[in-house]
């Protein structure tokens, strides 16, 4: 018995070495998604190689990208170097996404194959429909525009999802899911799917805690992933609906600093731990190695119920949403497939 106990303890200790320390969530597909991943949107292409190399060295095995980030070739080149040094494909969890201008059944396979080519991979672990609304496709796999404005197209979600399922059958992707969809849109797909959505990626941070959506996803066994889990401090002034003055940096809040001091952690670690402890994976973006290290070292402590409630109390609902897409796409909030509640004013 004592010998078995020693073996168990050694095994547990091994799980807390870099590369194994990150908790994972079980997906309905049977696969597992690491609870912390590296977000790559807005990482400069000139910094991507080093950012990926550092992240992998620190133990990141979950990397999030998308066709629309225009960075998949750079990520693929960085991953190739890691593979050449002995890294194993099966140890990674790579997410990509179907672009908004590819939101039609006949385009799913085309865009996935392009992402695989750019990433230099045979498959991705997760493929998401990036947004529920659609744009007309232009030349060279870009968005079509008229008078400088993007042209909206209605999306047949069920037809697109059927093609997403075919990509699983073909072995090009292990799991499929959605991003930025609301409950009604998710349920429509779920009720008509042979392969159920296993992941929903949405904006989530202390100012935008979508608790009702989280409970909905738990009911249907859909794991949620939080993008912008630190509140996207760089972009909130540009993207928020005219209320940026009411959204200070989350990491500057006295409440968060006080909790961070209590646990001898940074404010960012407290915020990320709060989200993961709620049951979501997180994909904070950083090309800075020290920040990357900070973001992944959140599995050696847990927040007390009292501290969780303090952070829960920071929720502002729709007033806390940064990425409502209106900044990007004029008139999108009038689109019938726009997924969010009426814009906060």
């Amino acid at each position: 018995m004592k010998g078995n106990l020693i073996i168990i303890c050694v095994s547990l200790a091994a799980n807390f070495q870099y590369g194994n320390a990150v908790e994972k969530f079980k997906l309905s597909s049977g696969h597992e998604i690491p609870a912390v991943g590296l977000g790559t949107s807005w990482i400069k292409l000139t910094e991507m190689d080093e950012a990926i190399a550092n992240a992998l060295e620190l133990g990141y095995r979950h990397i999030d990208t998308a066709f629309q980030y225009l960075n998949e070739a750079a990520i693929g080149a960085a991953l190739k170097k890691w593979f050449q040094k002995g890294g194993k494909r099966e140890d990674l969890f790579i997410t990509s996404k179907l672009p908004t201008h590819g939101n039609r059944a006949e385009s799913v396979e085309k865009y996935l194959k392009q992402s695989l080519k750019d990433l230099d991979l045979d498959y991705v672990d997760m493929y998401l429909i990036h947004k529920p609304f659609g744009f007309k496709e232009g030349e060279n796999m870009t968005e079509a525009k008229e008078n400088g404005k993007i042209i909206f197209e209605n999306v047949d979600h069920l037809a697109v999802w059927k093609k997403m399922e075919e990509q699983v059958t073909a072995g090009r992707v292990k799991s499929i899911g959605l991003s930025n969809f609301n409950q009604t849109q998710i349920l429509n797909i779920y009720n008509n799917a042979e392969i159920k959505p296993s992941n929903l990626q949405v904006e989530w941070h202390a100012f935008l805690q979508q608790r009702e959506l989280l409970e909905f996803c738990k009911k249907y066994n859909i794991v949620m992933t939080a993008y912008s889990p630190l509140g996207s401090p760089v972009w909130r002034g540009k993207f928020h609906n005219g209320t940026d003055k009411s959204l200070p940096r989350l990491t500057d809040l006295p409440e968060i600093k006080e909790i961070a001091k209590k646990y001898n952690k940074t404010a960012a670690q407290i915020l990320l731990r709060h989200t993961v402890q709620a049951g979501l994976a997180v994909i904070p973006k950083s090309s800075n190695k020290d920040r990357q290290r900070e973001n992944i070292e959140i599995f050696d402590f847990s927040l007390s119920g009292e501290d969780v409630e303090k952070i829960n109390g920071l929720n502002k609902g729709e007033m806390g949403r940064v990425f409502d897409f209106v900044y990007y796409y004029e008139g999108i909030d009038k689109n019938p497939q726009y997924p969010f509640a009426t814009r906060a004013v």
Side-chain angles (χ1 to χ4, degrees), residues 141-331:
M141 302 176 83
T142 60
E143 300 159 345
K145 294 185 178 181
E146 186 175 349
N147 298 322
K149 294 184 179 181
I150 288 171
I151 305 167
F152 300 143
E153 281 191 345
N154 192 51
V155 180
D156 184 339
H157 291 154
L158 299 185
V160 171
W161 189 256
K162 183 66 176 177
K163 290 296 181 180
M164 294 281 285
E165 292 175 331
E166 289 179 9
Q167 305 316 303
V168 178
T169 303
R172 300 184 188 98
V173 57
K174 300 292 187 181
S175 307
I176 49 179
L178 307 166
S179 180
N180 299 302
F181 279 60
N182 62 33
Q183 291 185 36
T184 300
Q185 294 166 332
I186 297 167
L187 199 55
N188 180 42
I189 290 175
Y190 187 93
N191 287 337
N192 292 281
E194 292 185 20
I195 301 176
K196 306 298 186 183
S198 61
N199 186 227
L200 174 68
Q201 188 176 125
V202 296
E203 180 183 348
W204 176 294
H205 44 76
F207 284 151
L208 182 65
Q209 300 176 46
Q210 303 188 67
R211 295 283 167 174
E212 185 179 335
L213 183 59
L214 177 61
E215 291 307 310
F216 170 86
C217 285
K218 286 181 178 179
K219 177 181 178 181
Y220 291 98
N221 198 19
I222 299 170
V223 173
M224 285 179 65
T225 297
Y227 68 75
S228 301
L230 299 176
S232 211
V234 173
W235 298 102
R236 73 192 190 285
K238 287 186 176 181
F239 294 161
H240 198 263
N241 1 5
T243 61
D244 53 294
K245 290 184 180 179
S246 68
L247 292 177
R249 283 177 176 262
L250 283 166
T251 51
D252 289 342
L253 294 178
E255 303 96 314
I256 300 300
K257 287 185 174 181
E258 181 182 353
I259 296 173
K261 184 177 180 180
K262 173 181 175 180
Y263 292 90
N264 194 29
K265 292 290 183 179
T266 66
Q269 287 173 321
I270 295 300
L271 292 164
L272 293 173
R273 180 66 212 178
H274 175 258
T275 302
V276 169
Q277 205 164 307
L280 292 84
V282 293
I283 46 171
K285 186 274 297 181
S286 182
S287 57
N288 179 285
K289 188 174 184 179
D290 290 336
R291 295 244 177 88
Q292 289 179 345
R293 179 184 289 108
E294 178 182 328
N295 292 343
I296 203 172
E297 292 182 346
I298 62 169
F299 298 102
D300 58 350
F301 76 106
S302 293
L303 296 171
S304 69
E306 179 184 3
D307 292 326
V308 167
E309 286 305 313
K310 286 181 181 178
I311 301 173
N312 287 351
L314 298 173
N315 187 29
K316 295 180 180 292
E318 282 301 307
M319 287 294 287
R321 188 182 297 280
V322 175
F323 296 96
D324 63 11
F325 304 130
V326 178
Y327 176 86
Y328 292 110
Y329 315 123
E330 183 181 347

